[in-house]
């Protein structure tokens, strides 16, 4: 009898834990406001926010990279990559799919160039 009650309590707690997982739109890299490939992801329990981030390079002022997904860090940052200054602005929210995302098809050259920039940039986003 006691084992059944304990098993029932653990099951109910498990359902509430699963129900509380946040779902966010995810975009690993976007360029000029358009996501290369978007999806929806379930956040880890430590990631309590959905975010949308945009990095603008100070030299050009118009070239921007973006990403979105789950995070526990909503701080904006500034820094440099290969001597070029940039600023990252993050917008966070706390409800399912609150960080809208859109996908667009790009040419292979544009996708390759973006992937190259993203590989440098991704280590600075998180």
């Amino acid at each position: 009898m006691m084992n059944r009650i304990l098993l029932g309590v653990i099951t109910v707690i498990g359902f509430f834990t699963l129900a509380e997982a946040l779902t966010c739109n995810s975009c690993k890299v976007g360029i000029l406001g358009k996501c290369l490939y978007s999806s929806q992801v379930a956040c880890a329990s430590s990631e309590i926010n959905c975010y949308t981030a945009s990095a603008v390079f100070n030299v050009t002022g118009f070239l921007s990279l973006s990403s979105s997904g789950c995070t526990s860090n909503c701080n904006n940052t500034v820094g440099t990559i290969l001597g070029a200054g940039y600023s990252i602005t993050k917008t966070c929210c706390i409800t399912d799919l609150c960080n809208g995302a859109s996908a667009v098809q790009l040419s292979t050259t544009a996708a390759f160039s973006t992937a190259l920039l993203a590989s440098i940039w991704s280590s600075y986003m998180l």
Side-chain angles (χ1 to χ4, degrees), residues 5-95:
I5 293 172
L6 184 58
L7 182 60
V9 170
I10 291 172
T11 302
V12 169
I13 290 171
F15 282 128
F16 281 118
T17 303
L18 289 175
E20 291 182 22
L22 186 61
T23 301
C24 298
N25 290 303
S26 175
C27 177
K28 296 296 181 190
V29 64
I31 187 165
L32 301 174
K34 299 296 180 186
C35 182
L36 297 177
Y37 177 75
S38 62
S39 62
Q40 294 178 355
V41 295
C43 302
S45 61
S46 63
E47 298 172 316
I48 58 172
N49 300 295
C50 294
Y51 79 93
T52 301
S54 176
V56 177
F57 292 90
N58 301 339
V59 174
T60 62
F62 69 89
L63 176 61
S64 66
L65 298 175
S66 59
S67 72
S68 61
C70 305
T71 189
S72 59
N73 177 1
C74 289
N75 298 326
N76 295 328
T77 57
V78 292
T80 60
I81 296 176
L82 302 174
Y86 67 89
S87 59
I88 297 173
T89 304
K90 278 188 180 178
T91 303
C92 292
C93 54
I94 58 171
T95 58

